[in-house]
Amino acid sequence: MDELVEFLRARIAKDEQIARAGSGAAWRPSPPGSVSLDASANDRTPHDGTSRDRAPSAAAGQGGSRTTRSQAPGAERPGFVAQAENESYAEHIARHSPARALREAAAKRLILDEYVKAAWLMSTGHGGEAAEAAQAVRLARLRALASAYADHPAYRHEWGI
């Protein structure tokens, strides 16, 4: 399962890299169908230690929107992130902000590290039936995490759940 672990580490690192490029800021939907920085989130302490006081890059603002940042109505507004086709799309984009992506990367990394630590302990003779059963559950978690990346070219279908 070393290949599954490495696959997940690479995907998590890429997700984190993209989120950091988007400033790690929280977003909120702004009717009608636009997404803006969530100013109230700047007052809360981030779980990942990143700063939330920077505006997202133009590239981050373009992700998933129908128009580019420079073309979108309201793009000149402070805190503008993206213009979506409708309010439902804006809500979806806002819920998957860089801040959330960074929290998800940290959570996934903890799950991955738990599996790796248990595998190491078992390899040093600290196993047994209960440890093996617990590791099987951890492996199922890794496969569940990997299934989100099923469209990646390096994904192997035997990792599926």
Side-chain angles (χ1 to χ4, degrees), residues 23-61:
S23 82
W27 296 345
R28 64 177 171 76
S30 303
S34 64
V35 180
S36 302
L37 291 177
D38 185 353
S40 66
N42 289 335
D43 298 331
R44 297 188 297 262
T45 303
H47 295 280
D48 56 20
T50 61
S51 171
R52 289 188 178 156
D53 57 356
R54 297 176 291 151
S57 67

Side-chain angles (χ1 to χ4, degrees), residues 138-152:
R138 290 183 196 99
L139 178 57
R141 285 186 203 144
L142 295 192
R143 288 181 169 171
L145 291 177
S147 69
Y149 302 103
D151 59 346
H152 191 277

Side-chain angles (χ1 to χ4, degrees), residues 1 4 115 134-144 159 161:
M1 287 293 119
L4 174 58
Y115 173 85
Q135 191 66 343
V137 171
R138 290 183 196 99
L139 178 57
R141 285 186 203 144
L142 295 192
R143 288 181 169 171
W159 294 336
I161 51 175

